[in-house]
């Protein structure tokens, strides 16, 4: 499941991922929110909080994640990924260099620090 995070600064959009994340979650929640936030052409911050309740991505969801990233490649100012899931932390650290803007990984205890970093 993907839920939009409320209460973030205007230039930051955030999502909370938990349980099983499906392509439908991306198509109904994440993609429309990202499209709306980037419609004016401004660079935005992205908070991607993968909660301890996260179980897995469906294959189609991982594909949708890649499509969103590439479709909005020039839109990202900062990306903060908050997770304790080792394979996701490793993936972001390994491939984050390919994303424009700054990419940082935070553990669950660093959620507040991630929000502060994005708000700067």
């Amino acid at each position: 499941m993907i839920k939009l995070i409320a209460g973030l600064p205007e230039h930051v959009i955030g999502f909370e991922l938990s349980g099983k994340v499906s392509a439908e979650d991306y198509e109904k929640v994440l993609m429309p929110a990202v499209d709306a936030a980037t419609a004016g052409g401004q660079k935005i911050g992205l908070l991607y909080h993968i909660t301890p309740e996260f179980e897995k991505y469906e294959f189609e969801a991982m594909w949708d994640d890649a499509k969103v990233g590439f479709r909005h490649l020039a839109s990202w100012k900062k990306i903060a990924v908050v997770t304790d899931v080792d394979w996701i932390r490793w993936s972001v650290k390994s491939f984050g260099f390919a994303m424009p803007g700054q990419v940082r990984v935070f553990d669950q205890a660093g959620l507040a620090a991630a929000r502060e970093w994005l708000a700067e």
Side-chain angles (χ1 to χ4, degrees), residues 39-114:
Q42 70 279 9
K43 290 189 177 273
I44 62 169
L46 172 66
L47 174 60
Y48 209 66
H49 180 203
I50 301 168
T51 71
E53 293 77 30
F54 172 80
E55 295 173 26
K56 69 176 188 171
Y57 282 106
E58 290 180 354
F59 176 77
E60 294 84 3
M62 290 193 303
W63 176 245
D64 281 345
D65 186 63
K67 288 192 305 189
V68 169
F70 288 119
R71 184 170 57 207
H72 295 285
L73 202 54
S75 300
W76 311 122
K77 181 176 181 180
K78 293 181 178 179
I79 299 172
V81 178
V82 178
T83 185
D84 287 338
V85 179
D86 288 335
W87 72 266
I88 295 174
R89 293 177 65 82
W90 179 86
S91 296
V92 173
K93 287 179 179 181
S94 297
F95 299 106
F97 73 90
M99 296 295 291
Q102 300 173 51
V103 179
R104 288 186 57 190
V105 179
F106 298 82
D107 59 20
Q108 292 296 332
L111 178 59

